[in-house]
């Protein structure tokens, strides 16, 4: 986070691209380096198994990890294609509820309630989110107070890490039963974080609030999503490679309706793009064109032959040709997608 395009290129993009050189069936690589972002695209030869390609890339990324900045771990994109965006929806506040459901609240609802349920659908490989603010708890140390108490920034980091964990302590037996013991110490809000003990001075606890400001904030962002002039949170469902886009989109639409029934008052999820509509319109267009074309052929044959029986016998080539085409598609495992139907 915070790297300029130059640092992202020098310290992340170049080492990764260099590590990926020489892969089996590799055609070329291309990359984009932006503020806080490094994206490397690896293009393989047509027909390369996607899981074989991903395995190679994952192995090379592990080798490149030693050359990357500490704490940085590149991740592979979802197992999807360029046409994998089959369903989009928005999570938005209803009229009059914008003050309660802020962009931060909408993003939190999407990340913790809506998105996990959509990701569990069969055929869905990823759900991307754009818009809103990712909620964070910001600790801003006061340098003067740290110096006054003879503390460092590392002392603050270590104290927060020690006091933000749940601990299991085994169990005790009583009357033939086991009672599990646990110590819940995970921080839930800013107030609990302020009470974290950093050190002791003269026998008195020195808490985080004494040396730093603790407030609720948000992650830095470089983009947003709006609808009708209001900020919303946009979710995009990606289809797993090889799945039926129409079936997966229908499952996503049905699941979104179920989720809507459980959302709090004042917020709703609305569909903004459904691949099912495109597929249905395409199939209807193909059906209409085939029917009109067949009727036109029969009419022309009748005019030329002046015999309806001869025209129908000759026109029988059309369904036979379609049957032969579909048989060939089945035998060669060519899917009835938008391109092949056209």
């Amino acid at each position: 986070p915070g790297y300029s395009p130059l640092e992202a290129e020098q310290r992340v993009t170049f080492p990764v691209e260099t590590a990926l050189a020489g892969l089996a069936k590799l055609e070329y690589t291309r990359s984009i380096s932006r503020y806080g972002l490094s994206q490397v695209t690896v293009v393989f030869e047509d027909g390369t198994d996607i899981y074989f390609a991903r395995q190679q890339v994952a192995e090379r990324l592990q080798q490149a990890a030693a050359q990357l900045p500490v704490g940085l771990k590149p991740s592979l994109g979802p197992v999807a294609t360029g046409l994998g965006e089959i369903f989009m929806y928005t999570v938005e506040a209803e009229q009059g509820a914008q003050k309660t459901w802020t962009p931060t609240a909408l993003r939190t609802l999407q990340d913790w309630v809506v998105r996990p349920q959509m990701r569990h659908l069969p055929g869905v490989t990823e759900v991307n989110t754009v818009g809103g603010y990712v909620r964070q708890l910001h600790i801003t140390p006061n340098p003067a107070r740290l110096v006054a108490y003879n503390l460092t920034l590392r002392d603050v980091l270590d104290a927060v890490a020690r006091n933000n964990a749940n601990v299991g302590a085994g169990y005790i037996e009583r009357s033939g039963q086991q009672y599990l013991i646990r110590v819940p110490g995970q921080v839930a809000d800013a107030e609990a974080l302020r009470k974290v003990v950093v050190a002791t001075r003269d026998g008195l606890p020195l808490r985080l609030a004494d040396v730093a400001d603790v407030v609720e904030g948000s992650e830095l962002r470089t983009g947003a999503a709006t609808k009708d002039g209001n900020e919303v949170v946009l979710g995009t469902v990606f289809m797993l490679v090889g799945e039926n886009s129409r079936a997966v989109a229908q499952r996503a639409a049905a699941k979104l309706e179920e989720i809507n029934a459980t959302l709090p008052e004042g917020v709703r999820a609305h569909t903004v793009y459904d691949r099912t509509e495109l597929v249905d319109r395409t199939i209807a267009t193909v059906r209409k064109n085939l029917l009109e074309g067949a009727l036109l052929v029969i009419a022309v044959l009748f005019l030329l032959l002046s015999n309806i029986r001869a025209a129908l016998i000759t026109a029988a080539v059309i369904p036979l040709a379609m049957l032969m085409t579909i048989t060939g598609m089945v035998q060669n495992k060519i899917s009835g997608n938008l391109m092949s139907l056209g």
Side-chain angles (χ1 to χ4, degrees):
Y3 273 4
S4 68
L6 179 60
E7 276 71 39
E9 174 70 26
Q10 290 179 341
R11 304 190 62 185
V12 183
T13 305
F14 179 74
V16 169
E17 279 194 289
T18 304
L20 295 175
L23 292 176
K25 299 185 178 181
L26 173 69
E27 282 200 347
Y28 63 90
T29 61
R30 61 175 183 265
S31 62
I32 298 175
S33 297
R34 294 177 179 170
Y35 170 73
L37 171 69
S38 170
Q39 176 182 305
V40 179
T41 303
V42 189
V43 181
F44 289 85
E45 297 176 3
D46 286 343
T48 304
D49 181 74
I50 187 171
Y51 296 103
F52 168 73
R54 290 173 66 89
Q55 181 182 359
Q56 289 192 93
V57 173
E59 291 174 353
R60 292 296 182 90
L61 288 180
Q62 289 182 352
Q63 298 175 12
Q67 304 178 37
L68 300 178
V70 177
L72 183 62
K73 185 178 180 181
S75 59
L76 292 172
V79 188
T81 67
L83 298 176
E85 301 178 3
I86 60 164
F87 192 83
M88 294 183 182
Y89 62 91
T90 59
V91 179
E92 53 190 279
E94 294 182 326
Q95 194 67 29
Q98 282 85 358
K99 291 184 178 180
T100 303
W101 289 99
T102 62
T104 302
L106 291 175
R107 180 59 181 261
T108 303
L109 187 69
Q110 157 69 3
D111 289 342
W112 294 95
V113 177
V114 182
R115 183 173 179 267
Q117 297 184 66
M118 298 295 287
R119 283 206 64 176
H120 280 85
L121 288 174
V124 173
T125 184
E126 179 64 81
V127 179
N128 280 355
T129 305
V130 177
Y133 292 92
V134 178
R135 178 175 175 264
Q136 289 182 336
L137 294 176
H138 289 178
I139 302 173
T140 308
N142 187 313
R145 294 181 185 177
L146 290 177
V147 172
Y149 290 112
N150 193 25
L151 294 172
T152 65
L153 186 59
R154 173 53 56 185
D155 295 328
V156 176
L157 293 173
D158 292 341
V160 173
R162 286 195 309 267
N163 290 271
N164 185 28
N166 291 347
V167 180
Y171 64 91
I172 59 174
E173 290 188 6
R174 181 170 296 176
S175 302
Q177 292 183 330
Q178 287 184 346
Y179 292 87
L180 300 180
I181 303 173
R182 56 188 294 266
V183 183
Q186 187 172 348
V187 174
D189 52 29
E191 186 59 32
L193 202 55
R194 295 188 187 100
K195 296 178 180 178
V196 169
V197 176
V198 179
T200 57
R201 293 293 183 269
D202 299 327
L204 298 176
L206 189 63
R207 302 186 185 278
L208 189 60
D210 299 326
V211 296
D213 295 326
V214 182
V215 296
E216 287 198 15
S218 59
E219 185 180 71
L220 290 175
R221 68 173 187 174
T222 56
T226 60
K227 178 182 177 183
D228 299 330
N230 297 317
E231 185 161 351
V232 298
V233 174
L234 176 68
T236 304
V237 178
F238 282 81
M239 179 186 70
L240 185 67
V241 169
E243 290 287 336
N244 186 315
S245 62
R246 186 170 183 268
V248 178
Q250 287 178 335
R251 287 196 289 267
K255 188 63 178 181
L256 194 65
E257 290 298 322
E258 294 180 16
I259 296 173
N260 253 331
T262 64
L263 293 181
E265 185 178 355
V267 61
R268 283 292 175 268
H270 300 282
T271 302
V272 294
Y273 171 72
D274 189 342
R275 178 73 63 83
T276 305
E277 299 175 6
L278 173 63
V279 175
D280 288 344
R281 286 199 300 267
T282 303
I283 293 175
T285 300
V286 172
R287 185 187 300 116
K288 176 174 175 290
N289 290 344
L290 287 175
L291 180 61
E292 291 178 352
L295 293 176
L296 184 60
V297 169
I298 294 173
V300 172
L301 288 173
F302 175 72
L303 291 175
L304 292 175
L305 300 176
S306 299
N307 188 312
I308 188 64
R309 181 181 178 185
L312 291 175
I313 292 175
T314 309
V317 172
I318 296 175
L320 288 175
M322 285 295 298
L323 181 61
M324 292 290 290
T325 301
I326 294 174
T327 302
M329 291 174 65
V330 172
Q331 290 298 320
N332 292 281
K333 297 182 179 180
I334 300 175
S335 64
N337 53 48
L338 301 183
M339 295 299 293
S340 62
L341 287 177

